[in-house]
Amino acid sequence: MQQVLPQADAVERAGDGLADLYRARKPWHTLPGPLYHDPGAFEADLDVIFHKTWIQVALVADVPEAGDVYAFDIGRTPVLIVRTDDDEVLAFHNVCRHRAARLVPNGRSIVGKLVCPYHQWAYELTGALIDAPHMGQDLDKSLYHLEPVAIRVIGGLIYMCLSDNPPDDIDAFAQILTPRIAPYDLARAKIAFECDLIEEGNWKLTMENNRECYHCGANHPELALSFFAVDFGVDPDMLAPHERRELEAHNARCATQKGEWEACGLVSSALESDVTAATNYRTERLMIAGNGESQTLDSRAAVRVPLSPTVAHGTGDTHLWGPTSWNHLMGDHAVVFNAFPIAPNRTLVRTKWLVNEAAVEGVDYDRDNLIAVWMETNRQDAALVAMAQAGVQSAGYRPGPYSRFTEKTLDDFISWYVERMRVHGVW
């Protein structure tokens, strides 16, 4: 006998627990409201998604030289990434093993050793404790190594999992991702600019907003100059005969272009993880509209020096989504976005623009031109997310339907999210 699930609005009114809210989620619909703002749901998200899942958090460009340290928070967990004297990239909890002080402030620093500012316990860049003043000669320093964090460097992107038992499908993910992003040589790129923006919304609303372009035409005029809207889905029944012919011609052109890219070794086909996979991703190379070179106000390359000779201007835009990140990799530059939860209704969106390490600002690129599209798009998205957050917290909210033509990626993402919560026993 098929189980009849309670209606989401009834569940909300009854004030039932999280388990019932997850069970109440209907396929192809948004989540019940409390899952976007309830403190208990937020704690569950931190535990399952941000502590037990591989997520993209940083770049090797954040620690380009030995002694470079990059510190940040994942929820309430402070972590740091360091490049050692042996050129290894390692990660640790940013917590002294003595009295739990934060070892280094958030952001970037250059150090010879990691020295706690509280009582001056000192650690090698490998995490080994080397000095603990006034603790006695019998202190076994080997017992107080910094707590490591699992990381994986894939093509210049850094993935992290806070769990002591991270999902083992990261190896398969790396095999899939490496040939797609290796041509961009991100490991040798540098950060030309970065920006932090607080969105007044739940992290899932941030990701839902980013994973569809249903809203792009009406809300992102700058970004729309370099996007083909039909690439992100369209209801064919709404098209006039001439629009259908144009869509068919566009799809044929895309297929031809992807074939040419593939023949040159640039993997371009769409590929995404199953909703049951532990590590979530979606990736595809798409053509750039307009002049076809980059996400700029005139869709021409912003940087004279390409990221690598392999992806010289005109090789499209490789999209890569994760559960808390999105990326655009183009011939002249890349834009990398990471979402970090702050509170049930606040999310930090950190954006970094990457260029060839040899590119010189003011000579090879103009910074304002490089960042113009996504600075404006991020601002627009923040307003949209805040608007949605106000809605999901209102008494009138009921889960709404996703478009099967333009929001399939949202249903895939939310279905994956709900499945992760089931696997980890939240419901």
Side-chain angles (χ1 to χ4, degrees), residues 221-255:
E222 296 83 6
L223 183 63
L225 294 172
S226 60
F227 272 18
F228 290 101
V230 293
D231 282 334
F232 301 95
V234 62
D235 183 350
D237 291 336
M238 293 188 66
L239 300 180
H242 75 279
E243 291 174 321
R244 291 191 184 187
R245 290 192 295 271
E246 291 172 359
L247 175 61
E248 291 170 359
H250 172 75
N251 289 340
R253 182 184 168 204
C254 286

Side-chain angles (χ1 to χ4, degrees), residues 22 43 103 108 156 181 187 203 207 209 305 357 363 370 382 384:
Y22 286 108
E43 293 299 322
L103 290 169
R108 295 183 184 83
I181 66 174
W203 72 273
M207 295 311 302
N209 177 72
V305 183
E357 63 180 353
V363 177
L370 176 73
L384 296 172

Side-chain angles (χ1 to χ4, degrees), residues 226 288-307 311-316 330-334 354-355 363-371 373:
S226 60
I288 297 173
N291 291 301
E293 294 181 348
S294 190
Q295 290 173 351
T296 57
L297 294 175
D298 62 1
S299 63
R300 295 190 184 279
V303 188
R304 185 177 61 84
V305 183
L307 281 170
V311 291
H313 310 319
T315 50
M330 295 155 285
D332 68 319
H333 77 282
L354 295 172
V355 301
V363 177
D364 298 307
Y365 67 94
D366 175 81
R367 192 192 72 176
D368 291 343
N369 181 47
L370 176 73
I371 69 176
V373 167

Side-chain angles (χ1 to χ4, degrees), residues 42 46 50-51 72-78 162 340-342:
F42 182 69
L46 291 182
F50 291 92
H51 283 206
F72 54 96
D73 294 340
I74 300 177
R76 284 184 290 277
T77 300
L162 295 176
F340 296 101
I342 298 175

